[in-house]
Amino acid sequence: MSHSDNAIRSAIVALGSTGEKLHTCNILTLRQERFGRHLDFTRVQYGKALRHLQRKIDDDAQGLVAYAILLCFLFCIFEFLQGNDSASLVHLRGGLALLSQAGSSISSGFEALSPGGHLDHEIKNVFSAMNAQATLWLGLDVIPIATMLLPQPVQPVEPPRNTQVENCNHPSTAFASVDEASEALNRHMSHFYAFRVSIAAYDERSPASPLLENLIAEKKNLILQFQQWPSASEAMTTALGDTLTDDMLDRLATMTMNWTVSNILLHTYLVESNPVYRKYELDFRQVLELASSILRPMNDLVRLKIQRIVTANNGGINPAAFSLHAGIIAPIYYTAIKCRNLKICRDALALLKEDPWREGAFDSLIMATIAEPRIQRHQEEGYYEPDLEPESLSV
């Protein structure tokens, strides 16, 4: 299609030019003076793509839904690489809305664009993954749009009577193996992402007491589930003892990092005031300590080990598939943009930048490039606090 269609060709040229700029300059920015003619060329191509799309829609608005969705995807990536997060989110929401409204009828449109392929299924999966990952790439607290292809929220259960959920010492059976621990965490994380979709649905409506009550009950249920994982993991570690290999211990450390950050995020939802991450400083410190124990000193063997860890923790699926909770980059990135201690944020940034590595679709250097201006903005806004003795939710 990039050869036969003017809009898609221009969008891909603009995207390729932006990728070249990112590779050369290692920065996401809207500041044109740094790139001169290169950025002018990119924007000209982007403008051409928009104009070609508008002409096609004017001629046949009803028959171009699949076509528009495909361009929404390209535009979303383009704006993100330009450093324009708000515009990227607009295109993401536009594509998700079109997919949601079109429903099953969209399949014929994608079949026309790519005969004999599975473009409709791939596009839906990509948009659903991008929807979930917007919390990572764009630094959002909740998933932007409640849409298809994400797991359904877990049904709330009644907490044990006379038990404070926040301090529940719910007994947990030891995991039989590291793989079982990974499967359990992946299951909890799937429920967690579904809950974040529910939060997005709530934010899009006018406040409704029954819905809020259901979300609060669901949050309590998730906290109960999350609190069982570290105790079951610790019991397994004790039971297996010396039979645990270094690779197994590194996998457990990676799972613990992802559990810790997700647990912090979960506790900040549906609070009356803005989320305060200061009380979790010790937990953010622990994430960096665990990450450093795996990453340093960095070399090619360590980079291969990371690939093995991510693949194994992702259920054996090659990490080239997007995964938000199987690797090391995401918890370090969240630490960099959420912690209220500036030194910890800078240490997290240094981990991502100093000896870059990849985890399938994720690149530590690119994530550092995204995190750095956020840290700078937080510093200008007075986000960081004096170094005080914090409380903790430590594992």
Side-chain angles (χ1 to χ4, degrees):
M1 287 191 65
S2 61
H3 295 288
S4 60
D5 185 90
N6 291 330
I8 291 180
R9 180 173 61 251
S10 295
I12 289 177
V13 169
L15 189 57
S17 178
T18 302
E20 183 183 347
K21 178 198 75 175
L22 179 62
H23 177 75
T24 302
C25 305
N26 191 32
I27 189 169
L28 301 174
T29 181
L30 292 173
R31 295 173 59 187
Q32 183 170 351
E33 63 270 18
R34 293 238 4 218
F35 306 105
R37 293 180 180 177
H38 187 105
L39 192 52
D40 285 336
F41 171 78
T42 301
R43 289 180 172 172
V44 166
Q45 295 300 317
Y46 183 56
K48 285 183 178 179
L50 289 171
R51 288 194 298 273
H52 288 306
L53 173 62
Q54 186 61 57
R55 289 170 189 162
K56 279 210 168 191
I57 291 176
D58 290 341
D59 293 338
D60 182 15
Q62 297 301 318
L64 290 172
V65 176
Y67 180 83
I69 289 170
L70 191 57
L71 281 168
C72 277
F73 166 71
L74 296 173
F75 292 158
C76 178
I77 300 298
F78 171 83
E79 293 288 8
F80 169 73
L81 293 179
Q82 289 285 324
N84 194 347
D85 292 352
S86 59
S88 179
L89 189 55
V90 167
H91 290 306
L92 173 59
R93 285 177 167 157
L96 288 165
L98 287 171
L99 278 168
S100 180
Q101 293 166 11
S104 59
S105 64
I106 198 66
S107 298
S108 59
F110 284 119
E111 177 66 21
L113 293 176
S114 179
H118 302 282
L119 188 57
D120 60 330
H121 182 73
E122 292 174 8
I123 287 290
K124 288 178 181 178
N125 273 309
V126 166
F127 266 97
S128 291
M130 288 170 61
N131 189 29
Q133 290 177 40
T135 57
L136 181 65
W137 298 107
L138 303 179
L140 305 177
D141 286 322
V142 297
I143 290 172
I145 299 290
T147 189
M148 62 289 170
L149 298 181
L150 286 169
Q152 292 299 312
V154 62
Q155 292 299 316
V157 297
E158 190 70 24
R161 292 185 179 180
N162 303 321
T163 301
Q164 294 295 323
V165 173
E166 297 283 342
N167 300 309
C168 177
N169 294 316
H170 194 81
S172 302
T173 305
F175 295 123
S177 65
V178 175
D179 285 339
E180 186 177 318
S182 176
E183 291 170 5
L185 182 60
N186 288 344
R187 187 165 56 251
H188 294 333
M189 297 293 284
S190 295
H191 293 162
F192 178 45
Y193 286 120
F195 173 67
R196 294 167 84 175
V197 171
S198 300
I199 295 288
Y202 170 70
D203 288 343
E204 290 168 5
R205 308 176 188 179
S206 58
S209 180
L211 178 58
L212 180 58
E213 290 176 2
N214 289 339
L215 288 173
I216 291 173
E218 189 177 338
K219 174 184 174 179
K220 290 179 179 179
N221 182 46
L222 282 171
I223 290 174
L224 286 171
Q225 290 185 24
F226 262 68
Q227 288 179 338
Q228 294 177 42
W229 189 88
S231 56
S233 175
E234 183 177 352
M236 177 200 68
T237 303
T238 302
L240 294 180
D242 294 339
T243 63
L244 286 168
T245 65
D246 288 342
D247 273 2
M248 290 178 181
L249 292 171
D250 286 339
R251 284 185 62 190
L252 285 170
T254 302
M255 290 182 227
T256 301
M257 283 186 278
N258 284 281
W259 178 90
T260 300
V261 169
S262 299
N263 195 41
I264 292 172
L265 293 174
L266 177 58
H267 277 78
T268 64
Y269 289 144
L270 301 176
V271 294
E272 294 182 359
S273 58
N274 291 329
V276 177
Y277 294 93
R278 179 59 172 158
K279 63 184 293 186
Y280 307 116
E281 180 177 312
L282 291 182
D283 303 276
F284 285 125
R285 285 186 189 275
Q286 183 195 41
V287 168
L288 293 191
E289 289 170 2
L290 290 172
S292 296
S293 71
I294 297 173
L295 298 172
R296 289 180 172 167
M298 177 62 78
N299 54 48
D300 289 341
L301 290 177
V302 172
R303 291 184 175 89
L304 289 173
K305 177 179 72 173
I306 293 170
Q307 296 295 329
R308 292 198 306 270
I309 290 172
V310 178
T311 301
N313 285 357
N314 201 32
I317 300 173
N318 189 297
F322 288 107
S323 174
L324 292 173
H325 51 265
I328 302 172
I329 290 176
I332 299 176
Y333 174 79
Y334 272 125
T335 298
I337 66 171
K338 295 296 186 184
C339 185
R340 299 294 293 270
N341 183 306
L342 181 57
K343 183 181 184 304
I344 293 177
C345 295
R346 286 174 171 165
D347 288 345
L349 190 66
L351 262 183
L352 293 170
K353 288 177 67 173
E354 286 176 1
D355 294 293
W357 74 98
R358 290 188 63 87
E359 296 172 8
F362 293 107
D363 184 297
S364 70
L365 190 58
I366 290 179
M367 296 310 296
T369 304
I370 301 168
E372 195 161 15
R374 298 187 190 282
I375 294 173
Q376 179 63 35
R377 185 166 66 248
H378 282 166
Q379 194 171 3
E380 293 169 355
E381 294 170 351
Y383 178 82
Y384 301 109
E385 298 180 1
D387 197 9
L388 303 174
E389 186 66 27
E391 303 173 29
S392 177
L393 270 176
S394 294
V395 181

